[in-house]
Amino acid sequence: MGAVMSVLNKVAPVADRLGMKKTVDRALYQATKTGFQAAGAATRTFTAARKLGSAKRLPPVPDSGVFDLTPTEEQRLIVDTVREFAAERLRPAAAEANEKCAAPVELVSTAAELGITLLGVPEELGGVATERSTVTNVLVAEALATGDMGLALACLAPAAVSNALVLWGNEEQQATYLPAFTGEDVPAAALAIQEPYPLFDPFVLRTKAYRTAGGFRLTGVKSLVPRAAAAELFVVAADVEGRGPALFVVESSSVTIEAEPAMGLRAAGTGRVILDQVTVPSTAVLAADYAECVRLARLGWCALAVGTGHAVLDYVIPYVNDRVAFGEPVSHRQGVAFRVADIGTELDGMKLLTYRAASRAAAGLSFAREVALARKLCTDKGMAIGSDGVQLLGGHGYVKEHPVERWYRDLRAVGVMEGAVLV
């Protein structure tokens, strides 16, 4: 409860402002045009303010032996606040952010003030967590995605890096980088695994890490990295000869960024991170279980699919009830009513598998099978929900006046994206 109260104390002043009108002079960073390349964002100096005796790890959630996926009262308090933020701030800003291919800086900063990056950081490192927060992170990702998946991705990207540092960083890495994620000015950061190749396999990486006398030299390209142009820090996946995939902490001053707007997730300001003979010290390597990293990222995408699917369902129900054809609401037609019911049914299945995988991960149990099942269902049914949402709106589903066409494009990312989020 102490950890939750700490979060709520940080959230309260932000929540009080949610009802205020948007200021017309809010800051927006300008999206770079396709093909334009620039150096990585000017980065702050990351230095260790204090030395840690050892790396801090969160203990697993105690296994009660009962199959109960009901969120706790504390989780509901956090999620209710995040869901309100998503409805009142993310949803209204989503269309403009989609057009500009950029997340409003003000919104991302407000999301950071809500304590999203604190949820996975131990109390002794400035966060609020006392145990593995996988379930809470999944619930928060789902709640944000009910507003907009692209903006949710932009808001969650820094937490992917802070979570990776908590899970696999050593004492020096935690002391150097984590304080920035628990302060008032949270840096833009991202987990970069995806590469721009057909049928990309996260376990067969073309980004290579070559050993040098003092560390490693990284060469390769990372794709669809959220807020790449603004990011100050990356956790990059690269293949080390004789070892296999590994994760490296890379500061943005050493990379080149190229804009890469995609069919969906445009509000996340996705870009390519080009690593051309980038030199990092041996201390930049995270002691990561790479397979676990991939699974936790896929679990995050499942949560985003559930949240966006909820947005579709919540939008189409009043639409089909209010839309009149031949003298009665179109929801009176069985073909319409059954399709809406199918969305609700599939959404519950997606949620159940996602929560089940998250609960096992939080308890320190094997969750490979559960994540594989959740990803398969969320990929297939998430795309089906997006398609059905467009179909239920008829011609309106195809125009940008309604957000369903955007959610349809976003949901197609679930089956192809790797990394970017980490719960």
Side-chain angles (χ1 to χ4, degrees), residues 55-85:
K56 307 299 180 183
R57 304 284 186 241
L58 291 169
V61 176
D63 185 5
S64 65
V66 177
F67 182 69
D68 182 10
L69 303 181
T70 305
T72 64
E73 181 63 29
E74 291 85 357
Q75 288 169 335
R76 282 196 292 268
L77 290 172
I78 295 171
V79 169
D80 286 347
T81 301
V82 175
R83 191 178 294 274
E84 183 179 0
F85 169 72

PDB file of all heavy atoms in Angstrom, residues 55-85:
ATOM      1  N   ALA A  55      23.478  -4.655  -7.517  1.00  0.00           N
ATOM      2  CA  ALA A  55      22.281  -4.364  -8.310  1.00  0.00           C
ATOM      3  C   ALA A  55      21.031  -4.718  -7.522  1.00  0.00           C
ATOM      4  O   ALA A  55      21.003  -5.679  -6.758  1.00  0.00           O
ATOM      5  CB  ALA A  55      22.323  -5.163  -9.611  1.00  0.00           C
ATOM      6  N   LYS A  56      19.989  -3.891  -7.694  1.00  0.00           N
ATOM      7  CA  LYS A  56      18.734  -4.109  -6.977  1.00  0.00           C
ATOM      8  C   LYS A  56      17.755  -4.847  -7.884  1.00  0.00           C
ATOM      9  O   LYS A  56      17.524  -4.450  -9.018  1.00  0.00           O
ATOM     10  CB  LYS A  56      18.126  -2.776  -6.536  1.00  0.00           C
ATOM     11  CG  LYS A  56      19.079  -1.879  -5.743  1.00  0.00           C
ATOM     12  CD  LYS A  56      19.544  -2.547  -4.461  1.00  0.00           C
ATOM     13  CE  LYS A  56      20.500  -1.625  -3.687  1.00  0.00           C
ATOM     14  NZ  LYS A  56      21.019  -2.284  -2.465  1.00  0.00           N
ATOM     15  N   ARG A  57      17.202  -5.924  -7.381  1.00  0.00           N
ATOM     16  CA  ARG A  57      16.223  -6.712  -8.124  1.00  0.00           C
ATOM     17  C   ARG A  57      14.927  -6.774  -7.325  1.00  0.00           C
ATOM     18  O   ARG A  57      14.938  -6.780  -6.084  1.00  0.00           O
ATOM     19  CB  ARG A  57      16.731  -8.130  -8.359  1.00  0.00           C
ATOM     20  CG  ARG A  57      18.072  -8.199  -9.067  1.00  0.00           C
ATOM     21  CD  ARG A  57      17.949  -7.914 -10.543  1.00  0.00           C
ATOM     22  NE  ARG A  57      19.223  -8.122 -11.209  1.00  0.00           N
ATOM     23  CZ  ARG A  57      19.897  -7.193 -11.853  1.00  0.00           C
ATOM     24  NH1 ARG A  57      19.409  -5.970 -11.950  1.00  0.00           N
ATOM     25  NH2 ARG A  57      21.062  -7.460 -12.422  1.00  0.00           N
ATOM     26  N   LEU A  58      13.834  -6.857  -8.038  1.00  0.00           N
ATOM     27  CA  LEU A  58      12.535  -6.977  -7.388  1.00  0.00           C
ATOM     28  C   LEU A  58      12.203  -8.443  -7.160  1.00  0.00           C
ATOM     29  O   LEU A  58      12.362  -9.261  -8.064  1.00  0.00           O
ATOM     30  CB  LEU A  58      11.448  -6.327  -8.245  1.00  0.00           C
ATOM     31  CG  LEU A  58      11.516  -4.800  -8.348  1.00  0.00           C
ATOM     32  CD1 LEU A  58      10.562  -4.292  -9.417  1.00  0.00           C
ATOM     33  CD2 LEU A  58      11.185  -4.157  -7.012  1.00  0.00           C
ATOM     34  N   PRO A  59      11.721  -8.801  -5.983  1.00  0.00           N
ATOM     35  CA  PRO A  59      11.332 -10.193  -5.739  1.00  0.00           C
ATOM     36  C   PRO A  59      10.047 -10.526  -6.474  1.00  0.00           C
ATOM     37  O   PRO A  59       9.238  -9.641  -6.780  1.00  0.00           O
ATOM     38  CB  PRO A  59      11.123 -10.226  -4.222  1.00  0.00           C
ATOM     39  CG  PRO A  59      10.726  -8.832  -3.868  1.00  0.00           C
ATOM     40  CD  PRO A  59      11.514  -7.937  -4.801  1.00  0.00           C
ATOM     41  N   PRO A  60       9.830 -11.797  -6.787  1.00  0.00           N
ATOM     42  CA  PRO A  60       8.582 -12.184  -7.449  1.00  0.00           C
ATOM     43  C   PRO A  60       7.388 -12.009  -6.524  1.00  0.00           C
ATOM     44  O   PRO A  60       7.518 -11.974  -5.294  1.00  0.00           O
ATOM     45  CB  PRO A  60       8.802 -13.657  -7.799  1.00  0.00           C
ATOM     46  CG  PRO A  60       9.833 -14.126  -6.830  1.00  0.00           C
ATOM     47  CD  PRO A  60      10.715 -12.949  -6.573  1.00  0.00           C
ATOM     48  N   VAL A  61       6.218 -11.882  -7.127  1.00  0.00           N
ATOM     49  CA  VAL A  61       4.978 -11.798  -6.352  1.00  0.00           C
ATOM     50  C   VAL A  61       4.714 -13.159  -5.714  1.00  0.00           C
ATOM     51  O   VAL A  61       4.828 -14.195  -6.390  1.00  0.00           O
ATOM     52  CB  VAL A  61       3.799 -11.403  -7.269  1.00  0.00           C
ATOM     53  CG1 VAL A  61       2.487 -11.407  -6.504  1.00  0.00           C
ATOM     54  CG2 VAL A  61       4.054 -10.033  -7.895  1.00  0.00           C
ATOM     55  N   PRO A  62       4.381 -13.226  -4.427  1.00  0.00           N
ATOM     56  CA  PRO A  62       4.112 -14.525  -3.788  1.00  0.00           C
ATOM     57  C   PRO A  62       2.988 -15.265  -4.504  1.00  0.00           C
ATOM     58  O   PRO A  62       1.967 -14.667  -4.876  1.00  0.00           O
ATOM     59  CB  PRO A  62       3.702 -14.135  -2.357  1.00  0.00           C
ATOM     60  CG  PRO A  62       4.301 -12.790  -2.136  1.00  0.00           C
ATOM     61  CD  PRO A  62       4.283 -12.103  -3.472  1.00  0.00           C
ATOM     62  N   ASP A  63       3.191 -16.553  -4.696  1.00  0.00           N
ATOM     63  CA  ASP A  63       2.192 -17.383  -5.369  1.00  0.00           C
ATOM     64  C   ASP A  63       1.148 -17.817  -4.352  1.00  0.00           C
ATOM     65  O   ASP A  63       1.438 -18.556  -3.414  1.00  0.00           O
ATOM     66  CB  ASP A  63       2.868 -18.602  -5.997  1.00  0.00           C
ATOM     67  CG  ASP A  63       1.904 -19.438  -6.825  1.00  0.00           C
ATOM     68  OD1 ASP A  63       0.745 -19.021  -6.983  1.00  0.00           O
ATOM     69  OD2 ASP A  63       2.312 -20.508  -7.293  1.00  0.00           O
ATOM     70  N   SER A  64      -0.091 -17.338  -4.520  1.00  0.00           N
ATOM     71  CA  SER A  64      -1.162 -17.668  -3.580  1.00  0.00           C
ATOM     72  C   SER A  64      -1.723 -19.053  -3.818  1.00  0.00           C
ATOM     73  O   SER A  64      -2.462 -19.579  -2.979  1.00  0.00           O
ATOM     74  CB  SER A  64      -2.296 -16.636  -3.697  1.00  0.00           C
ATOM     75  OG  SER A  64      -2.901 -16.703  -4.969  1.00  0.00           O
ATOM     76  N   GLY A  65      -1.403 -19.648  -4.974  1.00  0.00           N
ATOM     77  CA  GLY A  65      -1.939 -20.956  -5.296  1.00  0.00           C
ATOM     78  C   GLY A  65      -3.358 -20.913  -5.818  1.00  0.00           C
ATOM     79  O   GLY A  65      -3.955 -21.953  -6.097  1.00  0.00           O
ATOM     80  N   VAL A  66      -3.907 -19.704  -5.969  1.00  0.00           N
ATOM     81  CA  VAL A  66      -5.285 -19.533  -6.451  1.00  0.00           C
ATOM     82  C   VAL A  66      -5.249 -18.846  -7.808  1.00  0.00           C
ATOM     83  O   VAL A  66      -4.537 -17.856  -7.998  1.00  0.00           O
ATOM     84  CB  VAL A  66      -6.124 -18.697  -5.456  1.00  0.00           C
ATOM     85  CG1 VAL A  66      -7.529 -18.477  -5.999  1.00  0.00           C
ATOM     86  CG2 VAL A  66      -6.163 -19.369  -4.100  1.00  0.00           C
ATOM     87  N   PHE A  67      -6.008 -19.379  -8.749  1.00  0.00           N
ATOM     88  CA  PHE A  67      -6.069 -18.774 -10.078  1.00  0.00           C
ATOM     89  C   PHE A  67      -7.067 -17.615 -10.027  1.00  0.00           C
ATOM     90  O   PHE A  67      -8.268 -17.783 -10.210  1.00  0.00           O
ATOM     91  CB  PHE A  67      -6.506 -19.807 -11.119  1.00  0.00           C
ATOM     92  CG  PHE A  67      -6.539 -19.253 -12.527  1.00  0.00           C
ATOM     93  CD1 PHE A  67      -5.369 -18.929 -13.180  1.00  0.00           C
ATOM     94  CD2 PHE A  67      -7.733 -19.076 -13.191  1.00  0.00           C
ATOM     95  CE1 PHE A  67      -5.389 -18.427 -14.470  1.00  0.00           C
ATOM     96  CE2 PHE A  67      -7.765 -18.583 -14.482  1.00  0.00           C
ATOM     97  CZ  PHE A  67      -6.593 -18.250 -15.123  1.00  0.00           C
ATOM     98  N   ASP A  68      -6.548 -16.431  -9.726  1.00  0.00           N
ATOM     99  CA  ASP A  68      -7.387 -15.249  -9.594  1.00  0.00           C
ATOM    100  C   ASP A  68      -6.688 -14.086 -10.284  1.00  0.00           C
ATOM    101  O   ASP A  68      -5.637 -13.628  -9.837  1.00  0.00           O
ATOM    102  CB  ASP A  68      -7.623 -14.920  -8.113  1.00  0.00           C
ATOM    103  CG  ASP A  68      -8.544 -13.721  -7.927  1.00  0.00           C
ATOM    104  OD1 ASP A  68      -9.135 -13.268  -8.930  1.00  0.00           O
ATOM    105  OD2 ASP A  68      -8.664 -13.247  -6.788  1.00  0.00           O
ATOM    106  N   LEU A  69      -7.242 -13.615 -11.381  1.00  0.00           N
ATOM    107  CA  LEU A  69      -6.653 -12.534 -12.149  1.00  0.00           C
ATOM    108  C   LEU A  69      -7.332 -11.197 -11.870  1.00  0.00           C
ATOM    109  O   LEU A  69      -7.124 -10.225 -12.601  1.00  0.00           O
ATOM    110  CB  LEU A  69      -6.736 -12.854 -13.647  1.00  0.00           C
ATOM    111  CG  LEU A  69      -6.085 -14.172 -14.081  1.00  0.00           C
ATOM    112  CD1 LEU A  69      -6.216 -14.353 -15.581  1.00  0.00           C
ATOM    113  CD2 LEU A  69      -4.632 -14.227 -13.668  1.00  0.00           C
ATOM    114  N   THR A  70      -8.128 -11.122 -10.823  1.00  0.00           N
ATOM    115  CA  THR A  70      -8.805  -9.879 -10.478  1.00  0.00           C
ATOM    116  C   THR A  70      -7.785  -8.854  -9.988  1.00  0.00           C
ATOM    117  O   THR A  70      -6.998  -9.134  -9.078  1.00  0.00           O
ATOM    118  CB  THR A  70      -9.840 -10.111  -9.367  1.00  0.00           C
ATOM    119  OG1 THR A  70     -10.738 -11.136  -9.769  1.00  0.00           O
ATOM    120  CG2 THR A  70     -10.617  -8.823  -9.077  1.00  0.00           C
ATOM    121  N   PRO A  71      -7.737  -7.650 -10.592  1.00  0.00           N
ATOM    122  CA  PRO A  71      -6.788  -6.629 -10.122  1.00  0.00           C
ATOM    123  C   PRO A  71      -7.042  -6.281  -8.662  1.00  0.00           C
ATOM    124  O   PRO A  71      -8.183  -6.288  -8.186  1.00  0.00           O
ATOM    125  CB  PRO A  71      -7.076  -5.427 -11.032  1.00  0.00           C
ATOM    126  CG  PRO A  71      -7.722  -6.015 -12.248  1.00  0.00           C
ATOM    127  CD  PRO A  71      -8.510  -7.193 -11.761  1.00  0.00           C
ATOM    128  N   THR A  72      -5.971  -5.964  -7.955  1.00  0.00           N
ATOM    129  CA  THR A  72      -6.110  -5.551  -6.566  1.00  0.00           C
ATOM    130  C   THR A  72      -6.704  -4.144  -6.498  1.00  0.00           C
ATOM    131  O   THR A  72      -6.775  -3.427  -7.509  1.00  0.00           O
ATOM    132  CB  THR A  72      -4.748  -5.544  -5.869  1.00  0.00           C
ATOM    133  OG1 THR A  72      -3.908  -4.549  -6.488  1.00  0.00           O
ATOM    134  CG2 THR A  72      -4.069  -6.916  -5.982  1.00  0.00           C
ATOM    135  N   GLU A  73      -7.103  -3.753  -5.302  1.00  0.00           N
ATOM    136  CA  GLU A  73      -7.662  -2.408  -5.126  1.00  0.00           C
ATOM    137  C   GLU A  73      -6.630  -1.348  -5.509  1.00  0.00           C
ATOM    138  O   GLU A  73      -6.969  -0.329  -6.129  1.00  0.00           O
ATOM    139  CB  GLU A  73      -8.095  -2.217  -3.663  1.00  0.00           C
ATOM    140  CG  GLU A  73      -8.718  -0.856  -3.375  1.00  0.00           C
ATOM    141  CD  GLU A  73     -10.004  -0.618  -4.157  1.00  0.00           C
ATOM    142  OE1 GLU A  73     -10.704  -1.608  -4.472  1.00  0.00           O
ATOM    143  OE2 GLU A  73     -10.300   0.561  -4.456  1.00  0.00           O
ATOM    144  N   GLU A  74      -5.366  -1.571  -5.153  1.00  0.00           N
ATOM    145  CA  GLU A  74      -4.318  -0.621  -5.484  1.00  0.00           C
ATOM    146  C   GLU A  74      -4.132  -0.509  -6.997  1.00  0.00           C
ATOM    147  O   GLU A  74      -3.974   0.593  -7.536  1.00  0.00           O
ATOM    148  CB  GLU A  74      -2.996  -1.056  -4.831  1.00  0.00           C
ATOM    149  CG  GLU A  74      -2.981  -0.950  -3.317  1.00  0.00           C
ATOM    150  CD  GLU A  74      -3.579  -2.189  -2.652  1.00  0.00           C
ATOM    151  OE1 GLU A  74      -4.053  -3.089  -3.394  1.00  0.00           O
ATOM    152  OE2 GLU A  74      -3.574  -2.261  -1.420  1.00  0.00           O
ATOM    153  N   GLN A  75      -4.158  -1.647  -7.688  1.00  0.00           N
ATOM    154  CA  GLN A  75      -4.026  -1.620  -9.146  1.00  0.00           C
ATOM    155  C   GLN A  75      -5.195  -0.903  -9.788  1.00  0.00           C
ATOM    156  O   GLN A  75      -5.023  -0.141 -10.752  1.00  0.00           O
ATOM    157  CB  GLN A  75      -3.920  -3.053  -9.678  1.00  0.00           C
ATOM    158  CG  GLN A  75      -2.589  -3.721  -9.368  1.00  0.00           C
ATOM    159  CD  GLN A  75      -2.580  -5.202  -9.665  1.00  0.00           C
ATOM    160  OE1 GLN A  75      -3.630  -5.850  -9.674  1.00  0.00           O
ATOM    161  NE2 GLN A  75      -1.401  -5.766  -9.900  1.00  0.00           N
ATOM    162  N   ARG A  76      -6.390  -1.088  -9.254  1.00  0.00           N
ATOM    163  CA  ARG A  76      -7.558  -0.400  -9.810  1.00  0.00           C
ATOM    164  C   ARG A  76      -7.435   1.112  -9.654  1.00  0.00           C
ATOM    165  O   ARG A  76      -7.829   1.873 -10.550  1.00  0.00           O
ATOM    166  CB  ARG A  76      -8.841  -0.905  -9.149  1.00  0.00           C
ATOM    167  CG  ARG A  76      -9.318  -2.257  -9.676  1.00  0.00           C
ATOM    168  CD  ARG A  76     -10.763  -2.524  -9.280  1.00  0.00           C
ATOM    169  NE  ARG A  76     -10.883  -2.731  -7.850  1.00  0.00           N
ATOM    170  CZ  ARG A  76     -10.826  -3.912  -7.248  1.00  0.00           C
ATOM    171  NH1 ARG A  76     -10.617  -4.996  -7.984  1.00  0.00           N
ATOM    172  NH2 ARG A  76     -10.968  -4.025  -5.951  1.00  0.00           N
ATOM    173  N   LEU A  77      -6.892   1.572  -8.529  1.00  0.00           N
ATOM    174  CA  LEU A  77      -6.726   3.005  -8.326  1.00  0.00           C
ATOM    175  C   LEU A  77      -5.777   3.599  -9.359  1.00  0.00           C
ATOM    176  O   LEU A  77      -6.042   4.666  -9.935  1.00  0.00           O
ATOM    177  CB  LEU A  77      -6.197   3.272  -6.909  1.00  0.00           C
ATOM    178  CG  LEU A  77      -7.167   3.011  -5.749  1.00  0.00           C
ATOM    179  CD1 LEU A  77      -6.439   3.143  -4.411  1.00  0.00           C
ATOM    180  CD2 LEU A  77      -8.337   3.987  -5.798  1.00  0.00           C
ATOM    181  N   ILE A  78      -4.681   2.900  -9.594  1.00  0.00           N
ATOM    182  CA  ILE A  78      -3.706   3.376 -10.583  1.00  0.00           C
ATOM    183  C   ILE A  78      -4.313   3.347 -11.985  1.00  0.00           C
ATOM    184  O   ILE A  78      -4.224   4.316 -12.749  1.00  0.00           O
ATOM    185  CB  ILE A  78      -2.425   2.520 -10.531  1.00  0.00           C
ATOM    186  CG1 ILE A  78      -1.721   2.710  -9.184  1.00  0.00           C
ATOM    187  CG2 ILE A  78      -1.480   2.874 -11.674  1.00  0.00           C
ATOM    188  CD1 ILE A  78      -0.562   1.754  -8.953  1.00  0.00           C
ATOM    189  N   VAL A  79      -4.933   2.233 -12.343  1.00  0.00           N
ATOM    190  CA  VAL A  79      -5.476   2.070 -13.687  1.00  0.00           C
ATOM    191  C   VAL A  79      -6.604   3.061 -13.949  1.00  0.00           C
ATOM    192  O   VAL A  79      -6.712   3.612 -15.060  1.00  0.00           O
ATOM    193  CB  VAL A  79      -5.958   0.617 -13.897  1.00  0.00           C
ATOM    194  CG1 VAL A  79      -6.755   0.496 -15.186  1.00  0.00           C
ATOM    195  CG2 VAL A  79      -4.769  -0.329 -13.926  1.00  0.00           C
ATOM    196  N   ASP A  80      -7.440   3.333 -12.960  1.00  0.00           N
ATOM    197  CA  ASP A  80      -8.525   4.305 -13.151  1.00  0.00           C
ATOM    198  C   ASP A  80      -7.968   5.679 -13.510  1.00  0.00           C
ATOM    199  O   ASP A  80      -8.519   6.389 -14.370  1.00  0.00           O
ATOM    200  CB  ASP A  80      -9.382   4.400 -11.887  1.00  0.00           C
ATOM    201  CG  ASP A  80     -10.288   3.197 -11.694  1.00  0.00           C
ATOM    202  OD1 ASP A  80     -10.441   2.408 -12.656  1.00  0.00           O
ATOM    203  OD2 ASP A  80     -10.840   3.030 -10.586  1.00  0.00           O
ATOM    204  N   THR A  81      -6.881   6.072 -12.850  1.00  0.00           N
ATOM    205  CA  THR A  81      -6.267   7.362 -13.144  1.00  0.00           C
ATOM    206  C   THR A  81      -5.681   7.375 -14.553  1.00  0.00           C
ATOM    207  O   THR A  81      -5.857   8.339 -15.309  1.00  0.00           O
ATOM    208  CB  THR A  81      -5.164   7.679 -12.121  1.00  0.00           C
ATOM    209  OG1 THR A  81      -5.727   7.697 -10.811  1.00  0.00           O
ATOM    210  CG2 THR A  81      -4.527   9.027 -12.405  1.00  0.00           C
ATOM    211  N   VAL A  82      -4.992   6.307 -14.922  1.00  0.00           N
ATOM    212  CA  VAL A  82      -4.400   6.223 -16.256  1.00  0.00           C
ATOM    213  C   VAL A  82      -5.487   6.185 -17.327  1.00  0.00           C
ATOM    214  O   VAL A  82      -5.366   6.828 -18.373  1.00  0.00           O
ATOM    215  CB  VAL A  82      -3.489   4.983 -16.361  1.00  0.00           C
ATOM    216  CG1 VAL A  82      -2.976   4.814 -17.784  1.00  0.00           C
ATOM    217  CG2 VAL A  82      -2.318   5.103 -15.392  1.00  0.00           C
ATOM    218  N   ARG A  83      -6.562   5.461 -17.065  1.00  0.00           N
ATOM    219  CA  ARG A  83      -7.654   5.378 -18.041  1.00  0.00           C
ATOM    220  C   ARG A  83      -8.313   6.748 -18.234  1.00  0.00           C
ATOM    221  O   ARG A  83      -8.691   7.124 -19.349  1.00  0.00           O
ATOM    222  CB  ARG A  83      -8.685   4.344 -17.591  1.00  0.00           C
ATOM    223  CG  ARG A  83      -9.701   3.998 -18.674  1.00  0.00           C
ATOM    224  CD  ARG A  83     -10.667   2.941 -18.174  1.00  0.00           C
ATOM    225  NE  ARG A  83      -9.994   1.683 -17.929  1.00  0.00           N
ATOM    226  CZ  ARG A  83      -9.779   0.752 -18.858  1.00  0.00           C
ATOM    227  NH1 ARG A  83     -10.183   0.967 -20.103  1.00  0.00           N
ATOM    228  NH2 ARG A  83      -9.174  -0.376 -18.548  1.00  0.00           N
ATOM    229  N   GLU A  84      -8.434   7.505 -17.156  1.00  0.00           N
ATOM    230  CA  GLU A  84      -8.997   8.852 -17.257  1.00  0.00           C
ATOM    231  C   GLU A  84      -8.078   9.746 -18.101  1.00  0.00           C
ATOM    232  O   GLU A  84      -8.542  10.517 -18.944  1.00  0.00           O
ATOM    233  CB  GLU A  84      -9.177   9.440 -15.859  1.00  0.00           C
ATOM    234  CG  GLU A  84      -9.833  10.820 -15.859  1.00  0.00           C
ATOM    235  CD  GLU A  84     -10.010  11.365 -14.458  1.00  0.00           C
ATOM    236  OE1 GLU A  84      -9.636  10.678 -13.484  1.00  0.00           O
ATOM    237  OE2 GLU A  84     -10.522  12.490 -14.330  1.00  0.00           O
ATOM    238  N   PHE A  85      -6.786   9.625 -17.865  1.00  0.00           N
ATOM    239  CA  PHE A  85      -5.821  10.378 -18.659  1.00  0.00           C
ATOM    240  C   PHE A  85      -5.924   9.997 -20.137  1.00  0.00           C
ATOM    241  O   PHE A  85      -5.885  10.866 -21.029  1.00  0.00           O
ATOM    242  CB  PHE A  85      -4.417  10.096 -18.125  1.00  0.00           C
ATOM    243  CG  PHE A  85      -3.303  10.590 -18.999  1.00  0.00           C
ATOM    244  CD1 PHE A  85      -3.028  11.942 -19.112  1.00  0.00           C
ATOM    245  CD2 PHE A  85      -2.513   9.690 -19.718  1.00  0.00           C
ATOM    246  CE1 PHE A  85      -2.000  12.398 -19.919  1.00  0.00           C
ATOM    247  CE2 PHE A  85      -1.483  10.134 -20.519  1.00  0.00           C
ATOM    248  CZ  PHE A  85      -1.217  11.493 -20.624  1.00  0.00           C
TER     249      PHE A  85
END
